[in-house]
Amino acid sequence: QATSGGGGWPMSVWLTPSLHPILGATYFPPKSQYGRPGFPDICQQIGKVWREKRSEINDDAQENFSMLSQMQQGDDTKEVHLGDLDSKVFNTCLKQLTKGFDPVEGGFSCAPKFPQPVYFNFLFRMLHRHGRESDVGRKILDMTLFTLHKMGRGGMYDQIGGGFHRYSVTKDWHIPHFEKMLYDEGQLAYAYLDAYQITQDPFFLEIARGTLDYAMGPLLAPEGGIYCAEDADSPIEHGGHERAEGAFYAWTKSEVDRILGQDTLKANIFNTFYGVLPGGNVSPAGDPHGELTGKNVFIQRYTMDELRSKFPDVDDVRTVVEDAKKALFVEREKRPRPHLDDKVIVAWNGLMIAAFARAWQILQDERYLSAAVNAANFIYNNLYNKEQCTLLRSFREGPSKIDGFCDDYAYLIQGLLELYSGTLERRWLEWATSLQDTQDRLFRDEKTGGYFATSGTDATSLMRMKEEHDGSEPSYQSVTATNLIRLAWLRGEEWHNNDAANTNNNNNNDNNYATTTTTTTTDDNKQKYFSRAAGLLRSAGSSLLQAPVIMTHMVCALDMFLQTKPRQIIIAGRPDDDRTKALLKEVHRVHSPNSIILGIGEGVKDGDIEVGCRDVDFIEGLGMMRGLPTAYVCENNSCKYPGGWQSPHHPETFDEIHITATHFDVSVLYPFAYAQYDAVWGMHTMHLLQ
């Protein structure tokens, strides 16, 4: 931005031989057109100036480098105390985000519209904070679900093959930039799973499954890793050299009619539902280069209920639409596919592992658990140095020679913590903890508490940059903050006040948390992760106070940090016991973002790794009751015991488990619960003992 007045992605930077930047800018076309210089022309012009005015160019480059260095150092005079970070940050962020909301088409910006999954994470967390029945909660839920509906019904979502395209060129989410990126698939699948968990609306489940299944299709490597992207353009025909954006995804009406049968009821219903027109449904404004002229990009023009009203004599219009989609999918697979970027990037796999693990938690679909485990194992076996506990960045025809960046560690740790939450297998928690300690050692800035993007071991990297702002992906610093807090909760850490200097300024804090925090961040083992999370939040404090909307995931971390009584759900039982799995499923039925799940394995072994979390002090003495998997719900490291017991009746074998616990809501404190087989009803029932 300093050298050209603008920035973005892709990023093009020209450097001197000493690696100082001459010019930085965003995309340049292959040749000059529409008043925009082409990449070769820029190179020739820079080469000419370099030959003629080398000394001046070097001076400018050195000045650019110095300016960047000063920006990275920040302003040490703007020290923010933890006590300054309270609920006002949430209110400011919500106000800033709501200001950009589009009440007609959804989303939080004008065209081009990016999905920005970090916004949904924040909004769902604020929904939990305010409650669905409050005025603020209803407003949050309305604009969030409205946006997710619009995105899922639009052309930015691949209506035939699942998965999301990069962004929408038009404000109605209709015409996308057709590239598909793994980091979008992982984050958006997670967001739609949250929406389904909160609402039980099958539409959100359909979109979540479609996105997950796409990632398990063309993006899935045979060894279990997940490839990172598919291009936007593809050959128009096999063997041809001419390519066009959207060629794989767009259809003429005659193509649709040929496959479904011209003038048949199936074609009629499908064309009505997806807005298919004889001359195409793409406006020139959404197709400035004319690559989609006469083509249709499918967009759901009606809800299923509206479609039923248009075809009242059809028994099941949904089945008709689904059958038509299957026929078109088979036909589309015969087309030349977009180019596959078959790198396996650790960071993006971490985001996808988190989504697959989340799907397993909510849906109990073994396919998604297998996908998460296989991707994690691929990284462990191919990109993880077990002696040094370090990661490599990527894999393509073998491991790369590039060390992992901070986002590789942060996103993978997040995925592993989700895997642990869904399986209670300790290997995932141990690996996540080991990676966190390595990340802290390699990337943490001991002076400010923030994290650098690179480890500093690469001699060709002249400057270690930090990035706070969320973009297409959440900032690695924000994800690190949430990881640290989750690890602190899992370890039973308690955050104590050692300095009361800032307490008098925050007596009106509705969380009453500022009075129990400290402005100095000790790092003793009893509060190691809380201390590091505190330092990270302080380092981001200025941005959190002034413009929290640019770092909404860090606002989520602050919400977690301000929890005075985090809820810990302790499950005692063999992870391979279906009754334990049923307890886990019931726990995950409720959207409770400030709860953490710990497992106690009763002497169970998984390979050579003990399953469970026995080294946490406050769960000492807890275990299965009468041989049954048992769930304890605790707050702030304190669990209550049952006042009585009923003898359980459970057979040696059973075919199916049903959990009935309509009152088991982890957002409300219940001191004790256990799973029990009910001989009368022939099912397993979760009982709550007061």
Side-chain angles (χ1 to χ4, degrees):
Q1 289 177 324
T3 60
S4 64
W9 191 260
M11 181 171 64
S12 304
V13 182
W14 284 261
L15 309 175
T16 67
S18 59
L19 304 184
H20 292 159
I22 298 172
L23 175 67
T26 184
Y27 173 75
F28 290 101
K31 59 183 180 180
S32 299
Q33 56 183 347
Y34 308 114
R36 188 176 183 83
F39 194 92
D41 295 335
I42 290 288
C43 290
Q44 290 177 1
Q45 183 62 28
I46 290 176
K48 180 176 184 296
V49 176
W50 175 252
R51 289 189 296 271
E52 297 174 356
K53 300 180 179 180
R54 182 168 303 190
S55 176
E56 295 178 29
I57 293 295
N58 273 321
D59 290 343
D60 289 344
Q62 179 60 48
E63 184 177 341
N64 292 336
F65 182 77
S66 299
M67 179 188 60
L68 288 172
S69 298
Q70 292 173 5
M71 289 172 59
Q72 285 302 299
Q73 291 173 5
D75 186 352
D76 293 336
T77 64
K78 296 181 180 179
E79 183 177 357
V80 175
H81 297 284
L82 285 175
D84 298 327
L85 303 175
D86 57 20
S87 60
K88 292 191 294 290
V89 173
F90 309 132
N91 298 334
T92 301
C93 187
L94 191 57
K95 183 177 180 181
Q96 291 175 344
L97 186 58
T98 304
K99 187 177 180 180
F101 177 65
D102 181 349
V104 177
E105 300 294 348
F108 300 91
S109 68
C110 54
K113 283 185 173 177
F114 289 81
Q116 298 170 297
V118 289
Y119 288 170
F120 303 122
N121 296 339
F122 165 73
L123 288 167
F124 284 139
R125 184 168 283 277
M126 291 300 102
L127 174 66
H128 185 264
R129 168 173 278 269
H130 288 278
R132 295 179 63 167
E133 301 307 317
S134 68
D135 290 342
V136 175
R138 282 193 292 269
K139 183 175 182 180
I140 290 172
L141 192 62
D142 287 347
M143 66 181 180
T144 306
L145 299 184
F146 181 70
T147 298
L148 289 171
H149 265 289
K150 284 287 190 177
M151 287 169 48
R153 293 174 61 183
M156 197 182 77
Y157 177 74
D158 181 356
Q159 300 291 335
I160 299 300
F164 281 88
H165 299 294
R166 183 65 199 91
Y167 61 86
S168 176
V169 177
T170 56
K171 65 180 181 179
D172 60 354
W173 307 101
H174 182 196
I175 308 302
H177 172 50
F178 286 90
E179 185 179 29
K180 287 183 174 181
M181 306 298 296
L182 182 61
Y183 55 74
D184 283 326
E185 313 308 333
Q187 293 180 90
L188 288 170
Y190 199 106
Y192 277 89
L193 286 166
D194 275 351
Y196 172 70
Q197 187 185 44
I198 292 167
T199 66
Q200 295 298 300
D201 184 338
F203 173 82
F204 298 125
L205 177 58
E206 177 186 348
I207 302 300
R209 282 192 179 276
T211 305
L212 294 164
D213 292 347
Y214 164 71
M216 293 172 61
L219 296 186
L220 189 63
E223 303 87 355
I226 311 169
Y227 299 138
C228 65
E230 282 192 297
D231 276 358
D233 60 343
S234 58
I236 294 177
E237 58 185 27
H238 285 286
H241 298 291
E242 187 178 358
R243 306 173 65 89
E245 176 161 350
F248 183 73
Y249 301 100
W251 302 78
T252 63
K253 184 176 184 297
S254 60
E255 289 173 325
V256 175
D257 290 342
R258 174 178 59 81
I259 297 162
L260 302 183
Q262 189 169 2
D263 296 328
T264 63
L265 183 62
K266 179 185 288 188
N268 228 351
I269 291 174
F270 183 89
N271 290 337
T272 300
F273 186 56
Y274 283 112
V276 177
L277 301 175
N281 66 2
V282 180
S283 67
D287 181 30
H289 305 307
E291 294 174 293
L292 299 173
T293 300
K295 301 289 185 69
N296 291 274
V297 175
F298 298 148
I299 178 173
Q300 295 181 20
R301 293 299 189 188
Y302 302 97
T303 65
M304 273 296 165
D305 287 340
E306 291 168 341
L307 187 64
R308 290 187 189 97
S309 68
K310 289 185 171 294
F311 297 91
D313 297 332
V314 179
D315 292 336
D316 190 353
V317 293
R318 179 181 292 277
T319 299
V320 174
V321 171
E322 292 302 319
D323 288 346
K325 287 168 62 176
K326 291 175 183 177
L328 290 169
F329 178 83
V330 170
E331 186 69 21
R332 196 178 76 172
E333 288 297 293
K334 301 174 184 178
R335 295 177 173 181
R337 282 201 77 91
H339 172 72
L340 175 68
D341 188 340
D342 57 353
K343 291 191 302 295
V344 176
I345 296 176
V346 171
W348 300 359
N349 272 249
L351 293 172
M352 202 68 231
I353 289 169
F356 281 134
R358 188 84 169 113
W360 160 248
Q361 293 167 18
I362 297 172
L363 308 177
Q364 295 291 291
D365 188 327
E366 292 277 358
R367 296 182 308 128
Y368 300 138
L369 177 60
S370 295
V373 169
N374 291 341
N377 285 337
F378 178 86
I379 295 170
Y380 186 83
N381 294 326
N382 294 280
L383 295 169
Y384 179 60
N385 185 316
K386 301 169 186 63
E387 294 180 358
Q388 300 179 10
C389 302
T390 55
L391 293 168
L392 294 174
R393 170 67 171 173
S394 61
F395 184 102
R396 185 179 185 275
E397 299 179 352
S400 69
K401 296 181 180 180
I402 301 172
D403 291 335
F405 298 126
C406 195
D407 63 345
D408 294 305
Y409 287 83
Y411 298 170
L412 179 57
I413 291 167
Q414 176 180 256
L416 296 176
L417 291 176
E418 291 290 352
L419 256 178
Y420 174 72
S421 181
T423 65
L424 302 184
E425 293 183 16
R426 183 174 178 135
R427 56 176 168 156
W428 307 123
L429 179 57
E430 287 189 334
W431 190 18
T433 303
S434 177
L435 286 172
Q436 186 60 65
D437 291 341
T438 301
Q439 181 189 354
D440 292 344
R441 172 170 54 86
L442 294 178
F443 300 96
R444 185 168 176 254
D445 184 346
E446 297 288 345
K447 179 182 178 182
T448 69
Y451 285 73
F452 295 106
T454 57
S455 65
T457 58
D458 184 356
T460 64
S461 179
L462 301 186
M463 186 189 311
R464 299 180 72 188
M465 307 286 285
K466 293 179 186 174
E467 186 175 320
E468 290 183 341
H469 302 174
D470 296 324
S472 301
E473 308 154 62
S475 163
Y476 57 82
Q477 303 219 57
S478 302
V479 175
T480 298
T482 58
N483 290 343
L484 288 168
I485 296 167
R486 290 178 74 175
L487 286 168
W489 287 350
L490 285 165
R491 282 164 45 97
E493 290 185 7
E494 296 185 23
W495 184 240
H496 299 291
N497 176 30
N498 297 320
D499 185 338
N502 201 44
T503 59
N504 293 333
N505 297 327
N506 294 280
N507 291 332
N508 294 324
N509 180 5
D510 62 5
N511 296 289
N512 291 325
Y513 190 81
T515 59
T516 61
T517 56
T518 175
T519 57
T520 58
T521 56
T522 61
D523 200 5
D524 61 74
N525 193 52
K526 291 184 178 180
Q527 51 182 344
K528 175 173 69 172
Y529 294 127
F530 262 140
S531 175
R532 295 176 186 181
L536 222 173
L537 286 164
R538 284 190 62 207
S539 73
S542 180
S543 296
L544 283 171
L545 290 173
Q546 296 177 26
V549 74
I550 66 175
M551 51 193 322
T552 53
H553 200 79
M554 188 67 82
V555 180
C556 293
L558 178 63
D559 179 58
M560 294 173 66
F561 191 80
L562 294 182
Q563 299 302 312
T564 55
K565 294 183 178 180
R567 229 158 251 122
Q568 294 132 325
I569 301 164
I570 319 300
I571 295 183
R574 297 175 59 96
D576 58 351
D577 188 328
D578 285 341
R579 294 169 299 180
T580 306
K581 293 178 182 179
L583 279 174
L584 263 176
K585 181 181 180 181
E586 188 60 31
V587 168
H588 287 299
R589 183 179 59 82
V590 178
H591 183 258
S592 183
N594 291 323
S595 296
I596 201 76
I597 302 173
L598 296 88
I600 306 173
E602 296 291 322
V604 182
K605 297 283 184 179
D606 184 12
D608 294 325
I609 302 174
E610 182 186 354
V611 180
C613 201
R614 276 287 181 196
D615 54 349
V616 178
D617 292 340
F618 80 92
I619 65 174
E620 184 177 355
L622 303 184
M624 295 198 298
M625 302 295 290
R626 302 291 182 92
L628 285 173
T630 306
Y632 302 82
V633 184
C634 316
E635 279 194 347
N636 199 29
N637 303 342
S638 178
C639 306
K640 295 182 180 180
Y641 286 86
W645 182 260
Q646 297 174 345
S647 297
H649 305 280
H650 53 92
E652 292 294 326
T653 61
F654 47 90
D655 296 327
E656 185 176 6
I657 291 180
H658 299 277
I659 291 294
T660 59
T662 56
H663 299 294
F664 184 61
D665 184 344
V666 292
S667 65
V668 178
L669 176 63
Y670 285 105
F672 187 81
Y674 68 93
Q676 176 185 15
Y677 184 81
D678 191 316
V680 176
W681 294 100
M683 63 178 61
H684 279 74
T685 305
M686 182 179 290
H687 292 265
L688 303 175
L689 300 181
Q690 297 302 323

